[in-house]
């Protein structure tokens, strides 16, 4: 852990909150002791509900690395990741998460995501947003094509 990287994430959260880019969240991705990506919350400035600090930092690092894998890297984020960001961190292959504020701290300023954490373990039929299967046979054909695709790039 390197406090300077966390302080950079916190500074990104402050600067971009003050600039009205979005909420008070910042993140940096570090590999081999160097920052390889930075991000901050851009939800309101880009009208993109997925533009959380961790996701924008992952996008930045992957674009710079020209690789969808961030294996061997760490993320420093000013707040404990929400479920979406946590999933993105796992998909990116990031090895360690360092965070400043907790999700309770975020909830205290009206950034609550416990309802999503609560929804994930529920059976599909019990979730608040209906999930309705449709065209399974047709969709499965494409999965079979992927399974047999000789030149696929696995991830």
């Amino acid at each position: 852990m390197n406090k300077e990287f966390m302080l950079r994430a916190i500074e990104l959260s402050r600067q971009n909150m003050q600039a009205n880019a979005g909420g008070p969240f910042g993140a940096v991705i570090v590999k081999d002791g160097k920052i390889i990506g930075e991000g901050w919350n851009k939800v309101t400035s880009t009208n993109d509900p997925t533009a959380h600090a961790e996701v924008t930092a992952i996008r930045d690092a992957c674009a710079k690395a020209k690789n969808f894998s961030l294996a061997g890297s760490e993320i420093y984020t000013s707040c404990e990741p929400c479920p979406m960001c946590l999933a993105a961190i796992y998909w990116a292959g990031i090895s360690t998460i360092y965070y400043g504020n907790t999700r309770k701290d975020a909830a205290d300023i009206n950034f609550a995501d416990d309802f999503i954490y609560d929804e994930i373990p529920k059976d599909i039929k019990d979730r608040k947003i209906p999930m309705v299967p449709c065209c399974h046979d047709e969709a499965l054909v494409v999965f079979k094509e992927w399974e047999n695709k000789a030149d696929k790039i696995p991830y």
Side-chain angles (χ1 to χ4, degrees), residues 27-30 54 57-58 73-77 89 94 96-98:
V28 297
I29 297 177
V30 175
E54 297 89 341
I58 289 168
S73 64
E74 306 167 329
I75 189 165
Y76 289 78
T77 178
I89 290 165
I94 294 171
T96 307
I97 302 167
Y98 299 102

Side-chain angles (χ1 to χ4, degrees), residues 12-13 16 21-23 25-27 38-43 51-54 56-57:
L12 288 169
S13 74
N16 292 287
F25 305 96
E38 294 186 332
W40 52 89
N41 185 287
K42 299 178 183 180
V43 171
H52 290 198
E54 297 89 341
T56 62

Side-chain angles (χ1 to χ4, degrees), residues 11-32:
E11 183 56 27
L12 288 169
S13 74
R14 176 181 290 111
Q15 286 175 352
N16 292 287
M17 176 213 37
Q18 290 175 345
N20 290 322
F25 305 96
V28 297
I29 297 177
V30 175
K31 188 167 186 179
D32 300 325

Side-chain angles (χ1 to χ4, degrees), residues 4-5 19 27 35 40 57 70 73 75 81 89 98 107 120 122 134 139 150:
E4 293 304 312
F5 295 137
I35 294 175
W40 52 89
L70 297 175
S73 64
I75 189 165
I89 290 165
Y98 299 102
I120 292 169
K122 288 181 181 177
C134 180

Side-chain angles (χ1 to χ4, degrees), residues 110-143:
N110 296 314
F111 288 97
D113 50 23
D114 279 346
F115 74 98
I116 300 172
Y117 279 106
D118 293 343
E119 284 288 293
I120 292 169
K122 288 181 181 177
D123 191 272
I124 287 176
K125 67 179 175 28
D126 296 326
R127 292 182 180 160
K128 290 188 186 345
I129 298 176
M131 294 183 64
V132 182
C134 180
C135 298
H136 178 255
D137 292 341
E138 295 85 349
L140 194 57
V141 169
V142 180
F143 273 19

Side-chain angles (χ1 to χ4, degrees), residues 10 48 148:
I10 293 167
D48 179 355
N148 297 315

Side-chain angles (χ1 to χ4, degrees), residues 50-78:
T50 69
H52 290 198
E54 297 89 341
V55 171
T56 62
I58 289 168
R59 290 173 182 164
D60 184 50
C62 287
K64 288 176 179 170
K66 295 181 173 47
N67 196 327
F68 56 82
S69 174
L70 297 175
S73 64
E74 306 167 329
I75 189 165
Y76 289 78
T77 178
S78 65

